[in-house]
């Protein structure tokens, strides 16, 4: 969200610098920029916080001159291109490609992002934060509910993973979360159909397990039958994958 806000502000700065045909642009030039340029004018003390933030983005342009000049040469501002550039420039994790260009549901991608950062509100984390006393797994009641147990070692979630991977025709047995994450990273690199669909499946399965866990705690889902959970995950993979034409043939083969 921080990067997207930065891109949006730089888009406004682009409009000002290019003197786009807009009443707002003309107003800013008439009342604030006047005889100077967007790049040399001082930030007016009486300006709104939005205009101040936009003009501060001139420093961001200096840090990313290459892509800015590239867009200038083409005469078109690309929010997507600049956003991708900012992500790549700031990337310091090896699992970022699991999040980027993943067509899974946004809520599933956010859930996966939290898991990768070890920030999901499992009982173990809530106990560590002093927000609860009990940390037993909400599904099997056998072990401490941390990310490693909930998504990998729990006997119930193991069954869910096995069913989804069997549907994907992927022969793999889960171990520990960090080893699992390394395996996921290795097998989702590139732009191949299998890697792209596996990325969707990972995000949707993690989210499906988390929602199943929440239903067992707060909802009316009291039994251990995961058939419905697996079907919902597969339905989500099919639906999200079907939105991309290039994925449809592979999805259709999996459904046969």
């Amino acid at each position: 969200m921080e990067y997207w806000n930065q891109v949006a502000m730089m888009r406004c700065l682009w409009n000002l610098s290019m003197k786009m045909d807009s009443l707002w642009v003309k107003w800013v030039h008439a009342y604030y920029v006047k005889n100077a340029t967007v790049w040399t004018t001082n930030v007016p003390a009486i300006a709104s916080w939005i205009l101040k933030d936009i003009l501060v983005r001139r420093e961001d342009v200096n840090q990313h001159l290459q892509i800015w000049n590239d867009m200038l040469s083409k005469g078109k501002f690309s929010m997507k291109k600049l956003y991708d550039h900012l992500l790549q420039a700031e990337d310091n994790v090896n699992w970022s490609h699991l999040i980027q260009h993943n067509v899974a549901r946004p809520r599933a991608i956010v859930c996966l992002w939290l898991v990768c950062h070890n920030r999901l509100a499992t009982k173990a984390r809530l106990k560590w934060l002093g927000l609860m006393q009990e940390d037993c797994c909400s599904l099997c009641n056998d072990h401490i509910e941390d990310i490693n147990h909930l998504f990998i070692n729990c006997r119930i979630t193991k069954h869910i993973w096995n069913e989804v991977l069997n549907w994907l025709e992927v022969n793999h047995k889960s171990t520990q979360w960090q080893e699992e994450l390394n395996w996921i990273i290795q097998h989702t690199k590139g732009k191949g159909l299998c890697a792209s669909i596996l990325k969707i499946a990972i995000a949707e399965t993690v989210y499906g397990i988390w929602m199943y866990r929440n239903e067992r705690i707060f909802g009316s889902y009291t039994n251990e039958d995961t058939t419905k959970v697996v079907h919902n995950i597969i339905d989500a993979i099919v639906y999200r994958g079907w939105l991309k034409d290039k994925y449809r043939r592979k999805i259709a083969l999996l459904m046969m």
Side-chain angles (χ1 to χ4, degrees), residues 39-50:
W39 304 105
T40 60
T41 188
N42 295 325
V43 180
I46 62 172
S48 65
W49 68 267
I50 296 178

Side-chain angles (χ1 to χ4, degrees), residues 105 159-169 197 200-209 226-242 251 254-256:
R105 289 175 292 178
H159 176 72
I160 295 174
W161 279 111
N162 289 338
E163 290 295 310
V164 174
L165 291 175
N166 286 339
W167 180 80
L168 290 170
E169 300 178 351
I197 293 174
I200 304 173
I202 297 300
E204 292 294 349
T205 304
V206 166
Y207 179 69
I209 290 173
T226 57
T227 303
K228 181 180 177 181
V229 179
V230 173
H231 286 170
N232 288 341
I233 292 171
I234 293 176
D235 286 347
I237 298 170
V238 171
Y239 175 74
R240 298 300 296 186
W242 205 262
I251 293 290
L254 292 172
M255 294 174 63
M256 292 179 62

Side-chain angles (χ1 to χ4, degrees), residues 14-22 25 29 36:
W14 170 280
N15 291 342
L16 287 174
S17 65
M18 301 295 287
K19 295 185 177 180
M20 303 298 287
D21 188 14
S22 162
V25 170
H29 275 273

Side-chain angles (χ1 to χ4, degrees), residues 102-103 188 190-201 246-247:
N102 190 336
V103 299
T188 54
K191 299 180 180 179
L193 292 180
C194 292
S196 298
I197 293 174
L198 182 59
K199 283 203 299 187
I200 304 173
K246 61 181 180 179
Y247 298 164

